Amino acid sequence: MPKFLRIGVHQSNVSGYTSKAWCIRRAGSTVFLKWGAVEVQGAGAGRKVYWTFPPQEKTVRCRTVQRAQDYTKAAVGRRRSHSYEPLTGNIANRRRTADRGSELKQALATILFVDIVRSTEKAARLGDSRWATVMNHYYAAVRRELKALRGKEVVTTGDGVLATFRAPAAGINCATAIVKAVRTLGLEIRVGLHAGEYKVSGAEVIGLAFHIGARVAAKARAGEVLVSSAVKDLMPGSAIQFRDRGAHQLKGVPERWRLYRVEQ
């Protein structure tokens, strides 16, 4: 099964970062795809790659062997031109021990989700090579702002970034800075922030708070930073201005949540 690891700026020879892996396998006229977020530990020949979350899977039935071969060849070609490198060895699942629950540590943070608006359309218009260059600059810009405001990158998924902050004001200031920074690349993003508790086990993060943060981001418009009421309630008397966007039902999340737009 051909496997590929996405390589961003300054990542090819370092350890302890998150990225994305993509795998493909053909059996006769059927093609099996698997992709998702991964964590990379070590470098060089000793590098280990682990799925951060259970990977997504897709089955493509091409009807004929020739079509399946063509599909596989084209898919592999696209990965090679999208800043992916061939990956040898297996992608392992995180080992779950019987006493895993006792290892869980609870944390409270402001959770930030960033997502590029209409990324598929932009990639098609620019072409693979130019889009790969834009994405490298995009991740560099996001990480520069995270570092400046002491945000912690948790994972990247496709064109999305998940990070945490100790203080909600830092998360909001980082979000607005990222919006401005990536506009110089011709990109518009949507950002969502939520504050809540989650659990940590080694490099894994678990909790409903992450799902809520992702759903808040999905409600944002291009260039907009949305926060949940949990974030706003932590900032009484703040100089940051908010505009009420009403109560929303977030997909797969219990109850309705009131969302607020950050006035930049």
Side-chain angles (χ1 to χ4, degrees):
M1 174 185 286
K3 295 181 288 294
F4 295 87
L5 176 69
R6 189 178 184 92
I7 297 297
V9 177
H10 307 312
Q11 286 187 347
S12 58
N13 293 304
V14 297
S15 172
Y17 65 92
T18 56
S19 190
K20 181 182 179 183
W22 181 89
C23 315
I24 186 167
R25 178 172 64 87
R26 183 182 65 82
S29 61
T30 302
V31 177
F32 302 94
L33 305 171
K34 183 185 293 185
W35 69 93
V38 293
E39 177 191 348
V40 180
Q41 292 293 335
R47 181 172 61 182
K48 301 288 185 182
V49 181
Y50 302 92
W51 293 113
T52 306
F53 302 107
Q56 299 182 63
E57 298 185 56
K58 180 179 180 181
T59 301
V60 180
R61 303 187 188 283
C62 300
R63 296 187 180 180
T64 68
V65 172
Q66 185 59 54
R67 287 182 180 177
Q69 290 175 338
D70 293 342
Y71 182 98
T72 302
K73 183 178 179 181
V76 169
R78 285 195 297 273
R79 290 307 168 291
R80 291 185 184 276
S81 61
H82 272 78
S83 296
Y84 281 79
E85 68 171 23
L87 181 63
T88 58
N90 294 322
I91 302 174
N93 293 315
R94 279 296 185 191
R95 184 174 299 173
R96 298 176 181 270
T97 59
D99 62 345
R100 181 176 179 272
S102 63
E103 298 175 356
L104 293 176
K105 297 179 181 179
Q106 200 160 23
L108 173 65
T110 298
I111 298 162
L112 174 146
F113 272 87
V114 179
D115 184 45
I116 297 177
V117 177
R118 300 188 187 92
S119 60
T120 302
E121 296 176 21
K122 289 181 172 62
R125 186 174 69 252
L126 294 177
D128 293 344
S129 181
R130 287 182 60 195
W131 181 245
T133 300
V134 169
M135 288 300 292
N136 279 338
H137 288 309
Y138 160 73
Y139 282 117
V142 171
R143 287 171 178 138
R144 185 166 56 248
E145 301 302 337
L146 288 177
K147 183 177 181 181
L149 286 152
R150 298 185 179 181
K152 181 181 179 182
E153 180 181 330
V154 177
V155 68
T156 59
T157 55
D159 55 19
V161 177
L162 162 62
T164 59
F165 294 82
R166 291 186 178 181
I172 291 173
N173 290 334
C174 184
T176 57
I178 292 172
V179 170
K180 295 174 183 177
V182 301
R183 277 179 180 154
T184 64
L185 302 173
L187 300 176
E188 286 285 359
I189 59 172
R190 57 173 66 91
V191 187
L193 295 105
H194 176 63
E197 291 184 332
Y198 62 96
K199 291 180 171 60
V200 182
S201 178
E204 288 187 273
V205 290
I206 306 161
L208 180 61
F210 289 103
H211 297 282
I212 296 174
R215 298 311 184 193
V216 172
K219 293 289 184 180
R221 304 185 183 108
E224 190 173 49
V225 177
L226 283 187
V227 306
S228 69
S229 56
V231 174
K232 183 177 181 294
D233 292 347
L234 290 172
M235 304 179 65
S238 169
I240 297 174
Q241 299 296 311
F242 301 95
R243 176 177 294 181
D244 193 339
R245 279 278 307 275
H248 295 259
Q249 183 66 57
L250 306 180
K251 184 178 178 181
V253 177
E255 303 178 354
R256 293 172 67 83
W257 284 82
R258 187 161 291 276
L259 305 182
Y260 298 85
R261 172 193 170 106
V262 175
E263 297 293 282
Q264 303 178 45

